Tab-separated table of all heavy atoms in Angstrom:
chain	number	residue	atom	x	y	z
A	1	MET	N	149.474	91.629	99.855
A	1	MET	CA	148.184	91.192	100.375
A	1	MET	C	148.373	89.930	101.186
A	1	MET	O	149.149	89.048	100.809
A	1	MET	CB	147.237	90.946	99.202
A	1	MET	CG	145.778	90.877	99.560
A	1	MET	SD	144.800	90.565	98.088
A	1	MET	CE	144.471	88.835	98.296
A	2	ALA	N	147.668	89.842	102.268
A	2	ALA	CA	147.743	88.633	103.099
A	2	ALA	C	147.125	87.460	102.355
A	2	ALA	O	146.065	87.596	101.743
A	2	ALA	CB	147.008	88.865	104.409
A	3	VAL	N	147.833	86.339	102.376
A	3	VAL	CA	147.383	85.154	101.650
A	3	VAL	C	147.309	83.993	102.635
A	3	VAL	O	148.219	83.837	103.460
A	3	VAL	CB	148.380	84.838	100.501
A	3	VAL	CG1	148.053	83.518	99.837
A	3	VAL	CG2	148.383	85.966	99.487
A	4	PRO	N	146.251	83.191	102.578
A	4	PRO	CA	146.168	82.050	103.496
A	4	PRO	C	147.297	81.063	103.237
A	4	PRO	O	147.632	80.772	102.081
A	4	PRO	CB	144.805	81.428	103.171
A	4	PRO	CG	144.088	82.410	102.337
A	4	PRO	CD	145.090	83.297	101.706
A	5	LYS	N	147.891	80.568	104.323
A	5	LYS	CA	149.031	79.667	104.183
A	5	LYS	C	148.594	78.290	103.714
A	5	LYS	O	149.312	77.634	102.956
A	5	LYS	CB	149.749	79.552	105.525
A	5	LYS	CG	151.147	78.961	105.426
A	5	LYS	CD	151.969	79.365	106.621
A	5	LYS	CE	153.448	79.060	106.365
A	5	LYS	NZ	154.285	79.627	107.433
A	6	LYS	N	147.442	77.850	104.219
A	6	LYS	CA	146.963	76.500	103.889
A	6	LYS	C	145.511	76.588	103.419
A	6	LYS	O	144.762	77.454	103.872
A	6	LYS	CB	147.012	75.604	105.139
A	6	LYS	CG	148.412	75.117	105.510
A	6	LYS	CD	148.631	73.794	104.882
A	6	LYS	CE	150.012	73.168	104.981
A	6	LYS	NZ	151.062	73.622	105.774
A	7	LYS	N	145.160	75.674	102.533
A	7	LYS	CA	143.767	75.607	102.109
A	7	LYS	C	142.905	75.206	103.300
A	7	LYS	O	143.263	74.292	104.049
A	7	LYS	CB	143.627	74.560	100.999
A	7	LYS	CG	142.198	74.337	100.560
A	7	LYS	CD	142.113	73.391	99.377
A	7	LYS	CE	140.669	73.180	98.990
A	7	LYS	NZ	140.567	72.480	97.693
A	8	MET	N	141.777	75.894	103.462
A	8	MET	CA	140.865	75.524	104.547
A	8	MET	C	139.967	74.401	104.055
A	8	MET	O	139.372	74.501	102.974
A	8	MET	CB	140.040	76.728	104.978
A	8	MET	CG	139.206	76.450	106.207
A	8	MET	SD	138.285	77.859	106.760
A	8	MET	CE	139.453	78.581	107.892
A	9	SER	N	139.899	73.326	104.824
A	9	SER	CA	139.101	72.167	104.407
A	9	SER	C	137.617	72.527	104.364
A	9	SER	O	137.176	73.464	105.032
A	9	SER	CB	139.327	71.001	105.362
A	9	SER	OG	138.746	71.297	106.620
A	10	LYS	N	136.886	71.783	103.564
A	10	LYS	CA	135.437	72.005	103.488
A	10	LYS	C	134.815	71.860	104.867
A	10	LYS	O	133.872	72.573	105.224
A	10	LYS	CB	134.793	70.975	102.547
A	10	LYS	CG	135.147	71.152	101.096
A	10	LYS	CD	134.613	69.976	100.293
A	10	LYS	CE	135.274	69.927	98.928
A	10	LYS	NZ	134.967	68.667	98.214
A	11	SER	N	135.338	70.926	105.628
A	11	SER	CA	134.794	70.684	106.969
A	11	SER	C	134.970	71.905	107.853
A	11	SER	O	134.029	72.354	108.503
A	11	SER	CB	135.498	69.467	107.565
A	11	SER	OG	135.274	69.392	108.939
A	12	ARG	N	136.178	72.480	107.881
A	12	ARG	CA	136.426	73.668	108.715
A	12	ARG	C	135.608	74.841	108.234
A	12	ARG	O	135.040	75.594	109.030
A	12	ARG	CB	137.914	74.030	108.654
A	12	ARG	CG	138.719	73.462	109.775
A	12	ARG	CD	140.083	74.086	109.750
A	12	ARG	NE	140.110	75.199	110.682
A	12	ARG	CZ	141.052	75.352	111.608
A	12	ARG	NH1	142.037	74.479	111.704
A	12	ARG	NH2	141.024	76.365	112.421
A	13	ARG	N	135.571	75.041	106.907
A	13	ARG	CA	134.802	76.145	106.330
A	13	ARG	C	133.328	76.017	106.707
A	13	ARG	O	132.700	76.972	107.147
A	13	ARG	CB	134.961	76.101	104.799
A	13	ARG	CG	134.181	77.174	104.059
A	13	ARG	CD	133.954	76.769	102.618
A	13	ARG	NE	133.109	75.592	102.522
A	13	ARG	CZ	133.031	74.798	101.455
A	13	ARG	NH1	133.760	75.040	100.389
A	13	ARG	NH2	132.241	73.756	101.448
A	14	ASP	N	132.772	74.809	106.553
A	14	ASP	CA	131.351	74.616	106.821
A	14	ASP	C	131.050	74.711	108.308
A	14	ASP	O	129.963	75.150	108.698
A	14	ASP	CB	130.891	73.264	106.254
A	14	ASP	CG	130.955	73.246	104.735
A	14	ASP	OD1	131.140	74.338	104.149
A	14	ASP	OD2	130.839	72.173	104.129
A	15	ARG	N	132.017	74.313	109.161
A	15	ARG	CA	131.809	74.448	110.597
A	15	ARG	C	131.727	75.928	110.966
A	15	ARG	O	130.928	76.329	111.814
A	15	ARG	CB	132.947	73.786	111.373
A	15	ARG	CG	132.531	72.512	112.080
A	15	ARG	CD	133.655	71.960	112.920
A	15	ARG	NE	134.748	71.486	112.094
A	15	ARG	CZ	136.041	71.530	112.456
A	15	ARG	NH1	136.375	72.027	113.629
A	15	ARG	NH2	136.966	71.081	111.656
A	16	ARG	N	132.544	76.761	110.333
A	16	ARG	CA	132.474	78.198	110.602
A	16	ARG	C	131.120	78.736	110.159
A	16	ARG	O	130.477	79.501	110.868
A	16	ARG	CB	133.601	78.925	109.848
A	16	ARG	CG	133.613	80.422	110.124
A	16	ARG	CD	134.656	81.161	109.287
A	16	ARG	NE	134.327	81.120	107.871
A	16	ARG	CZ	135.161	80.689	106.936
A	16	ARG	NH1	136.366	80.252	107.241
A	16	ARG	NH2	134.799	80.680	105.665
A	17	ARG	N	130.677	78.334	108.968
A	17	ARG	CA	129.422	78.869	108.422
A	17	ARG	C	128.188	78.324	109.137
A	17	ARG	O	127.087	78.842	108.929
A	17	ARG	CB	129.342	78.535	106.927
A	17	ARG	CG	130.385	79.303	106.137
A	17	ARG	CD	130.264	79.069	104.667
A	17	ARG	NE	131.360	79.718	103.958
A	17	ARG	CZ	131.635	79.519	102.685
A	17	ARG	NH1	130.914	78.690	101.968
A	17	ARG	NH2	132.634	80.156	102.117
A	18	ALA	N	128.368	77.316	109.964
A	18	ALA	CA	127.224	76.777	110.713
A	18	ALA	C	126.651	77.837	111.642
A	18	ALA	O	125.501	77.756	112.061
A	18	ALA	CB	127.649	75.550	111.508
A	19	HIS	N	127.428	78.877	111.984
A	19	HIS	CA	126.971	79.917	112.911
A	19	HIS	C	126.529	81.178	112.188
A	19	HIS	O	126.270	82.183	112.825
A	19	HIS	CB	128.088	80.255	113.893
A	19	HIS	CG	128.555	79.064	114.666
A	19	HIS	ND1	127.876	78.573	115.743
A	19	HIS	CD2	129.614	78.238	114.477
A	19	HIS	CE1	128.513	77.506	116.205
A	19	HIS	NE2	129.571	77.282	115.451
A	20	GLU	N	126.477	81.169	110.856
A	20	GLU	CA	126.187	82.395	110.104
A	20	GLU	C	124.723	82.563	109.731
A	20	GLU	O	124.385	83.514	109.031
A	20	GLU	CB	127.044	82.440	108.826
A	20	GLU	CG	128.506	82.675	109.143
A	20	GLU	CD	129.387	82.723	107.909
A	20	GLU	OE1	128.848	82.652	106.783
A	20	GLU	OE2	130.602	82.814	108.081
A	21	ALA	N	123.865	81.681	110.169
A	21	ALA	CA	122.444	81.802	109.825
A	21	ALA	C	121.863	83.058	110.449
A	21	ALA	O	122.271	83.469	111.537
A	21	ALA	CB	121.679	80.577	110.308
A	22	LEU	N	120.910	83.692	109.759
A	22	LEU	CA	120.259	84.889	110.281
A	22	LEU	C	119.293	84.505	111.392
A	22	LEU	O	118.653	83.454	111.333
A	22	LEU	CB	119.480	85.597	109.159
A	22	LEU	CG	120.339	86.201	108.047
A	22	LEU	CD1	119.437	86.804	106.989
A	22	LEU	CD2	121.293	87.229	108.591
A	23	GLY	N	119.215	85.361	112.372
A	23	GLY	CA	118.322	85.099	113.496
A	23	GLY	C	116.879	85.367	113.153
A	23	GLY	O	116.563	85.916	112.094
A	24	LYS	N	116.015	84.984	114.052
A	24	LYS	CA	114.584	85.199	113.879
A	24	LYS	C	114.289	86.697	113.954
A	24	LYS	O	114.900	87.412	114.764
A	24	LYS	CB	113.854	84.490	115.003
A	24	LYS	CG	112.640	83.699	114.592
A	24	LYS	CD	112.164	82.897	115.799
A	24	LYS	CE	110.772	82.376	115.594
A	24	LYS	NZ	110.303	81.685	116.798
A	25	LEU	N	113.354	87.171	113.112
A	25	LEU	CA	112.951	88.569	113.117
A	25	LEU	C	112.199	88.895	114.408
A	25	LEU	O	111.293	88.163	114.800
A	25	LEU	CB	112.043	88.802	111.910
A	25	LEU	CG	112.018	90.184	111.282
A	25	LEU	CD1	113.391	90.548	110.747
A	25	LEU	CD2	111.012	90.212	110.163
A	26	HIS	N	112.585	89.992	115.073
A	26	HIS	CA	111.879	90.399	116.277
A	26	HIS	C	110.667	91.247	115.887
A	26	HIS	O	110.804	92.186	115.113
A	26	HIS	CB	112.814	91.195	117.190
A	26	HIS	CG	113.920	90.357	117.729
A	26	HIS	ND1	115.163	90.304	117.118
A	26	HIS	CD2	113.977	89.514	118.774
A	26	HIS	CE1	115.924	89.469	117.804
A	26	HIS	NE2	115.248	88.982	118.820
A	27	LEU	N	109.522	90.895	116.411
A	27	LEU	CA	108.282	91.589	116.063
A	27	LEU	C	107.540	92.006	117.325
A	27	LEU	O	107.621	91.340	118.357
A	27	LEU	CB	107.370	90.673	115.235
A	27	LEU	CG	107.880	90.290	113.845
A	27	LEU	CD1	106.953	89.270	113.228
A	27	LEU	CD2	107.995	91.498	112.951
A	28	SER	N	106.841	93.129	117.214
A	28	SER	CA	105.973	93.553	118.313
A	28	SER	C	104.674	94.069	117.709
A	28	SER	O	104.631	94.447	116.546
A	28	SER	CB	106.651	94.646	119.137
A	28	SER	OG	107.031	95.713	118.318
A	29	ALA	N	103.619	94.093	118.495
A	29	ALA	CA	102.308	94.494	117.998
A	29	ALA	C	102.235	96.013	117.886
A	29	ALA	O	102.684	96.732	118.774
A	29	ALA	CB	101.216	93.981	118.920
A	30	CYS	N	101.656	96.526	116.774
A	30	CYS	CA	101.437	97.957	116.596
A	30	CYS	C	100.404	98.432	117.612
A	30	CYS	O	99.368	97.803	117.775
A	30	CYS	CB	100.938	98.205	115.165
A	30	CYS	SG	100.336	99.886	114.910
A	31	PRO	N	100.676	99.526	118.339
A	31	PRO	CA	99.706	99.995	119.345
A	31	PRO	C	98.386	100.453	118.730
A	31	PRO	O	97.357	100.459	119.419
A	31	PRO	CB	100.405	101.155	120.039
A	31	PRO	CG	101.720	101.334	119.400
A	31	PRO	CD	101.873	100.351	118.284
A	32	GLN	N	98.371	100.869	117.442
A	32	GLN	CA	97.149	101.349	116.805
A	32	GLN	C	96.315	100.192	116.248
A	32	GLN	O	95.136	100.095	116.510
A	32	GLN	CB	97.473	102.328	115.674
A	32	GLN	CG	97.477	103.782	116.100
A	32	GLN	CD	98.741	104.128	116.865
A	32	GLN	OE1	99.794	103.624	116.569
A	32	GLN	NE2	98.624	104.988	117.853
A	33	CYS	N	96.958	99.348	115.407
A	33	CYS	CA	96.172	98.355	114.674
A	33	CYS	C	96.514	96.924	115.066
A	33	CYS	O	95.943	95.993	114.513
A	33	CYS	CB	96.363	98.543	113.167
A	33	CYS	SG	98.033	98.212	112.607
A	34	ARG	N	97.417	96.725	116.010
A	34	ARG	CA	97.809	95.413	116.526
A	34	ARG	C	98.492	94.536	115.484
A	34	ARG	O	98.678	93.346	115.720
A	34	ARG	CB	96.611	94.644	117.113
A	34	ARG	CG	95.661	95.436	117.986
A	34	ARG	CD	96.308	96.253	119.061
A	34	ARG	NE	97.132	95.471	119.994
A	34	ARG	CZ	97.899	96.005	120.937
A	34	ARG	NH1	97.957	97.298	121.067
A	34	ARG	NH2	98.612	95.245	121.729
A	35	ALA	N	98.875	95.089	114.323
A	35	ALA	CA	99.608	94.285	113.349
A	35	ALA	C	101.023	94.039	113.882
A	35	ALA	O	101.565	94.843	114.629
A	35	ALA	CB	99.676	95.013	112.009
A	36	MET	N	101.614	92.909	113.510
A	36	MET	CA	102.957	92.598	113.964
A	36	MET	C	103.965	93.380	113.108
A	36	MET	O	104.017	93.228	111.890
A	36	MET	CB	103.219	91.087	113.850
A	36	MET	CG	102.353	90.269	114.794
A	36	MET	SD	102.362	90.859	116.512
A	36	MET	CE	103.912	90.172	117.081
A	37	ILE	N	104.754	94.245	113.778
A	37	ILE	CA	105.711	95.094	113.057
A	37	ILE	C	107.075	94.976	113.725
A	37	ILE	O	107.178	94.554	114.872
A	37	ILE	CB	105.257	96.577	113.052
A	37	ILE	CG1	105.010	97.069	114.474
A	37	ILE	CG2	104.038	96.762	112.172
A	37	ILE	CD1	104.882	98.564	114.591
A	38	ARG	N	108.113	95.394	112.995
A	38	ARG	CA	109.453	95.436	113.582
A	38	ARG	C	109.508	96.633	114.526
A	38	ARG	O	108.954	97.690	114.215
A	38	ARG	CB	110.501	95.580	112.480
A	38	ARG	CG	110.478	94.406	111.521
A	38	ARG	CD	111.628	94.470	110.562
A	38	ARG	NE	112.875	94.168	111.264
A	38	ARG	CZ	114.074	94.173	110.692
A	38	ARG	NH1	114.186	94.462	109.427
A	38	ARG	NH2	115.148	93.884	111.383
A	39	PRO	N	110.179	96.519	115.675
A	39	PRO	CA	110.231	97.614	116.627
A	39	PRO	C	110.942	98.834	116.043
A	39	PRO	O	111.854	98.694	115.213
A	39	PRO	CB	111.022	97.046	117.810
A	39	PRO	CG	111.091	95.584	117.609
A	39	PRO	CD	110.892	95.321	116.163
A	40	HIS	N	110.560	100.022	116.469
A	40	HIS	CA	111.168	101.301	116.084
A	40	HIS	C	111.014	101.591	114.596
A	40	HIS	O	111.857	102.269	113.992
A	40	HIS	CB	112.665	101.355	116.465
A	40	HIS	CG	112.946	100.832	117.838
A	40	HIS	ND1	112.544	101.498	118.963
A	40	HIS	CD2	113.544	99.693	118.250
A	40	HIS	CE1	112.915	100.783	120.025
A	40	HIS	NE2	113.513	99.676	119.626
A	41	THR	N	109.943	101.089	113.969
A	41	THR	CA	109.691	101.359	112.560
A	41	THR	C	108.247	101.829	112.390
A	41	THR	O	107.394	101.542	113.215
A	41	THR	CB	109.889	100.104	111.686
A	41	THR	OG1	109.035	99.085	112.180
A	41	THR	CG2	111.322	99.639	111.694
A	42	VAL	N	108.006	102.559	111.284
A	42	VAL	CA	106.653	102.974	110.955
A	42	VAL	C	105.846	101.730	110.602
A	42	VAL	O	106.322	100.859	109.879
A	42	VAL	CB	106.665	103.967	109.776
A	42	VAL	CG1	105.261	104.291	109.321
A	42	VAL	CG2	107.408	105.226	110.160
A	43	CYS	N	104.641	101.642	111.109
A	43	CYS	CA	103.776	100.501	110.804
A	43	CYS	C	103.335	100.599	109.344
A	43	CYS	O	102.810	101.619	108.922
A	43	CYS	CB	102.578	100.499	111.734
A	43	CYS	SG	101.392	99.217	111.342
A	44	TYR	N	103.536	99.517	108.573
A	44	TYR	CA	103.141	99.528	107.176
A	44	TYR	C	101.681	99.146	106.998
A	44	TYR	O	101.173	99.131	105.890
A	44	TYR	CB	104.054	98.603	106.352
A	44	TYR	CG	105.271	99.346	105.875
A	44	TYR	CD1	106.369	99.521	106.696
A	44	TYR	CD2	105.288	99.917	104.602
A	44	TYR	CE1	107.468	100.232	106.281
A	44	TYR	CE2	106.382	100.632	104.174
A	44	TYR	CZ	107.466	100.786	105.011
A	44	TYR	OH	108.545	101.501	104.575
A	45	ASN	N	101.000	98.831	108.076
A	45	ASN	CA	99.576	98.523	107.991
A	45	ASN	C	98.732	99.781	108.167
A	45	ASN	O	97.767	99.988	107.455
A	45	ASN	CB	99.221	97.471	109.036
A	45	ASN	CG	97.836	96.909	108.845
A	45	ASN	OD1	97.519	96.404	107.764
A	45	ASN	ND2	97.020	97.019	109.852
A	46	CYS	N	99.105	100.671	109.124
A	46	CYS	CA	98.307	101.873	109.377
A	46	CYS	C	99.112	103.160	109.173
A	46	CYS	O	98.540	104.242	109.190
A	46	CYS	CB	97.730	101.828	110.792
A	46	CYS	SG	98.954	101.863	112.106
A	47	GLY	N	100.452	103.082	108.970
A	47	GLY	CA	101.264	104.267	108.697
A	47	GLY	C	101.591	105.111	109.914
A	47	GLY	O	102.095	106.223	109.766
A	48	MET	N	101.349	104.605	111.107
A	48	MET	CA	101.577	105.378	112.328
A	48	MET	C	102.900	104.979	112.973
A	48	MET	O	103.332	103.827	112.898
A	48	MET	CB	100.434	105.127	113.324
A	48	MET	CG	99.062	105.498	112.819
A	48	MET	SD	98.777	107.266	112.808
A	48	MET	CE	98.433	107.569	114.538
A	49	TYR	N	103.529	105.949	113.630
A	49	TYR	CA	104.669	105.659	114.491
A	49	TYR	C	104.620	106.605	115.677
A	49	TYR	O	104.613	107.822	115.496
A	49	TYR	CB	105.998	105.795	113.742
A	49	TYR	CG	107.183	105.483	114.624
A	49	TYR	CD1	107.366	104.203	115.136
A	49	TYR	CD2	108.100	106.470	114.962
A	49	TYR	CE1	108.428	103.912	115.960
A	49	TYR	CE2	109.180	106.186	115.781
A	49	TYR	CZ	109.331	104.901	116.278
A	49	TYR	OH	110.404	104.610	117.098
A	50	ARG	N	104.516	106.092	116.880
A	50	ARG	CA	104.435	106.851	118.132
A	50	ARG	C	103.349	107.922	118.075
A	50	ARG	O	103.578	109.084	118.416
A	50	ARG	CB	105.789	107.473	118.479
A	50	ARG	CG	106.828	106.411	118.786
A	50	ARG	CD	108.131	107.003	119.216
A	50	ARG	NE	107.983	107.764	120.450
A	50	ARG	CZ	109.011	108.223	121.167
A	50	ARG	NH1	110.233	107.966	120.788
A	50	ARG	NH2	108.820	108.907	122.251
A	51	GLY	N	102.188	107.567	117.553
A	51	GLY	CA	101.039	108.454	117.530
A	51	GLY	C	101.038	109.471	116.408
A	51	GLY	O	100.150	110.307	116.348
A	52	VAL	N	102.041	109.445	115.507
A	52	VAL	CA	102.102	110.389	114.396
A	52	VAL	C	101.948	109.612	113.103
A	52	VAL	O	102.577	108.563	112.924
A	52	VAL	CB	103.443	111.159	114.400
A	52	VAL	CG1	103.498	112.154	113.254
A	52	VAL	CG2	103.653	111.850	115.731
A	53	LYS	N	101.114	110.140	112.175
A	53	LYS	CA	100.925	109.467	110.889
A	53	LYS	C	102.039	109.877	109.936
A	53	LYS	O	102.227	111.060	109.665
A	53	LYS	CB	99.559	109.823	110.316
A	53	LYS	CG	99.121	108.891	109.201
A	53	LYS	CD	97.617	108.980	108.980
A	53	LYS	CE	97.126	107.940	108.003
A	53	LYS	NZ	97.010	106.611	108.592
A	54	TYR	N	102.818	108.915	109.464
A	54	TYR	CA	103.934	109.200	108.567
A	54	TYR	C	103.666	108.725	107.149
A	54	TYR	O	104.288	109.208	106.210
A	54	TYR	CB	105.207	108.527	109.082
A	54	TYR	CG	105.783	109.211	110.296
A	54	TYR	CD1	105.550	108.729	111.576
A	54	TYR	CD2	106.564	110.351	110.156
A	54	TYR	CE1	106.076	109.361	112.684
A	54	TYR	CE2	107.089	110.982	111.256
A	54	TYR	CZ	106.844	110.496	112.518
A	54	TYR	OH	107.356	111.129	113.620
A	55	LEU	N	102.773	107.743	106.979
A	55	LEU	CA	102.541	107.176	105.659
A	55	LEU	C	101.054	107.217	105.338
A	55	LEU	O	100.221	106.990	106.223
A	55	LEU	CB	103.002	105.715	105.602
A	55	LEU	CG	104.498	105.449	105.704
A	55	LEU	CD1	104.741	103.957	105.770
A	55	LEU	CD2	105.238	106.049	104.536
A	56	GLU	N	100.741	107.531	104.067
A	56	GLU	CA	99.367	107.399	103.605
A	56	GLU	C	99.212	105.979	103.092
A	56	GLU	O	99.887	105.576	102.143
A	56	GLU	CB	99.066	108.406	102.484
A	56	GLU	CG	98.697	109.802	102.979
A	56	GLU	CD	97.602	109.843	104.046
A	56	GLU	OE1	96.633	109.062	103.939
A	56	GLU	OE2	97.735	110.637	104.983
A	57	ILE	N	98.346	105.215	103.729
A	57	ILE	CA	98.146	103.830	103.323
A	57	ILE	C	97.043	103.786	102.274
A	57	ILE	O	95.926	104.255	102.512
A	57	ILE	CB	97.791	102.947	104.528
A	57	ILE	CG1	98.856	103.069	105.609
A	57	ILE	CG2	97.607	101.495	104.108
A	57	ILE	CD1	100.253	102.660	105.210
A	58	LYS	N	97.406	103.238	101.087
A	58	LYS	CA	96.428	103.159	100.002
A	58	LYS	C	95.510	101.962	100.228
A	58	LYS	O	95.965	100.856	100.453
A	58	LYS	CB	97.131	103.006	98.661
A	58	LYS	CG	97.735	104.326	98.184
A	58	LYS	CD	98.525	104.126	96.902
A	58	LYS	CE	99.245	105.412	96.550
A	58	LYS	NZ	100.421	105.153	95.711
A	59	THR	N	94.222	102.225	100.154
A	59	THR	CA	93.239	101.139	100.250
A	59	THR	C	92.346	101.190	99.029
A	59	THR	O	92.308	102.183	98.303
A	59	THR	CB	92.380	101.287	101.526
A	59	THR	OG1	91.871	102.630	101.583
A	59	THR	CG2	93.200	101.048	102.776
A	60	ASP	N	91.610	100.110	98.777
A	60	ASP	CA	90.774	100.026	97.581
A	60	ASP	C	89.653	101.067	97.595
A	60	ASP	O	89.284	101.592	96.554
A	60	ASP	CB	90.187	98.612	97.460
A	60	ASP	CG	91.265	97.604	97.121
A	60	ASP	OD1	92.311	98.039	96.588
A	60	ASP	OD2	91.059	96.403	97.357
A	61	ASP	N	89.099	101.381	98.785
A	61	ASP	CA	87.987	102.316	98.847
A	61	ASP	C	88.456	103.764	98.656
A	61	ASP	O	87.638	104.650	98.473
A	61	ASP	CB	87.231	102.155	100.167
A	61	ASP	CG	88.176	102.234	101.369
A	61	ASP	OD1	88.742	101.175	101.725
A	61	ASP	OD2	88.334	103.318	101.921
A	62	ALA	N	89.764	104.047	98.695
A	62	ALA	CA	90.273	105.410	98.549
A	62	ALA	C	90.490	105.782	97.084
A	62	ALA	O	90.993	106.856	96.782
A	62	ALA	CB	91.581	105.557	99.306
A	63	LYS	N	90.160	104.897	96.125
A	63	LYS	CA	90.358	105.196	94.710
A	63	LYS	C	89.177	105.976	94.168
A	63	LYS	O	88.116	105.418	93.888
A	63	LYS	CB	90.481	103.870	93.924
A	63	LYS	CG	91.860	103.251	93.992
A	63	LYS	CD	91.868	102.040	93.057
A	63	LYS	CE	92.885	101.009	93.501
A	63	LYS	NZ	92.571	99.717	92.895
A	64	SER	N	89.296	107.282	93.999
A	64	SER	CA	88.245	108.069	93.381
A	64	SER	C	88.743	109.453	93.034
A	64	SER	O	89.820	109.845	93.443
A	64	SER	CB	87.012	108.176	94.286
A	64	SER	OG	87.384	108.757	95.518
B	1	ZN	ZN1	99.647	99.881	112.717
């Protein structure tokens, strides 16, 4: 197994990890309900994707 020749200093290690932060989430408005959703995903607010309903969204008034 490959083994590091020298211990990496905390400074070098932390400098590398300075670039590992996750980027900002990209969001776009749902064409049906204008909720902010991730692109190319089913909207979790109205259950629609490209004009087709894929999810039944449970609401309080639907309990009966
Ligand atoms: Zn929607």
Side-chain angles (χ1 to χ4, degrees):
M1 197 181 102
V3 173
K5 196 158 193 172
K6 284 267 173 10
K7 176 175 179 169
M8 187 178 269
S9 69
K10 291 172 196 170
S11 165
R12 265 190 96 129
R13 178 201 65 199
D14 293 349
R15 251 185 292 148
R16 182 185 66 234
R17 292 184 186 169
H19 302 281
E20 290 180 4
L22 293 177
K24 225 172 165 184
L25 209 62
H26 294 95
L27 294 174
S28 55
C30 169
Q32 267 77 36
C33 66
R34 316 311 302 173
M36 294 311 280
I37 55 166
R38 299 188 72 181
H40 316 291
T41 57
V42 174
C43 175
Y44 272 82
N45 191 56
C46 64
M48 300 285 282
Y49 181 65
R50 294 184 62 169
V52 181
K53 196 161 187 78
Y54 287 99
L55 292 174
E56 277 309 321
I57 305 300
K58 284 175 187 156
T59 50
D60 290 338
D61 52 274
K63 279 186 207 161
S64 58

